[in-house]
Amino acid sequence: MGLGGKHLFGSIGEQRVTFVEKKIEAPRKDFLKKLLEVNGYEVVIEEEKRKSEDEPQLYTIGVTDMTFNPTVYVFQRRLKTIDGKHIVNQDYWNQESEDTKPQYWKNS
């Protein structure tokens, strides 16, 4: 799912949530859960139904804060890294780089 522009919300079980990402694998779920909890969000996770036991288990992750929009919060520099020392940028969010320089663009 990654960063998109839409603010997606709905329910996980009986809990209203803002969806962060859907159909993600366990390592991604664990990363996002830790990152969001460090930033003070209550995280709700749901296991996706599998057609067979051979398929990998996928998850949907959301937060109870209905105003949270991952795209907005990343680009407005509102999230801190898991260690709390740096600001999350797009590459860090997408787990493409540990480099957290403030700009989300690359200069040639």
Side-chain angles (χ1 to χ4, degrees):
M1 192 167 139
L3 291 174
K6 295 183 180 180
H7 184 186
L8 303 174
F9 53 92
S11 297
I12 293 180
E14 297 293 318
Q15 182 69 50
R16 294 284 294 162
V17 297
T18 294
F19 292 117
V20 177
E21 289 192 12
K22 296 180 178 183
K23 297 184 179 180
I24 57 174
E25 293 186 357
R28 178 75 175 153
K29 170 198 61 118
D30 295 339
F31 170 79
L32 289 174
K33 181 178 188 294
K34 193 170 189 178
L35 178 66
L36 293 165
E37 286 177 343
V38 163
N39 282 279
Y41 294 98
E42 182 181 341
V43 176
V44 181
I45 297 171
E46 178 180 55
E47 288 185 358
E48 296 284 330
K49 293 181 181 174
R50 296 188 284 182
K51 294 179 182 175
S52 72
E53 291 295 319
D54 297 334
E55 293 182 8
Q57 180 63 59
L58 300 178
Y59 302 88
T60 294
I61 187 168
V63 295
T64 57
D65 183 346
M66 297 303 293
T67 64
F68 181 78
N69 181 326
T71 303
V72 171
Y73 277 54
V74 168
F75 287 104
Q76 286 184 349
R77 303 169 44 81
R78 292 186 183 183
L79 300 174
K80 294 201 181 261
T81 57
I82 291 171
D83 64 9
K85 296 180 181 178
H86 303 282
I87 302 294
V88 171
N89 62 15
Q90 184 177 13
D91 288 344
Y92 185 89
W93 177 270
N94 291 327
Q95 293 180 276
E96 295 172 356
S97 173
E98 291 287 320
D99 183 12
T100 56
K101 290 182 182 173
Q103 65 273 21
Y104 56 86
W105 62 90
K106 301 251 190 267
N107 290 332
S108 298

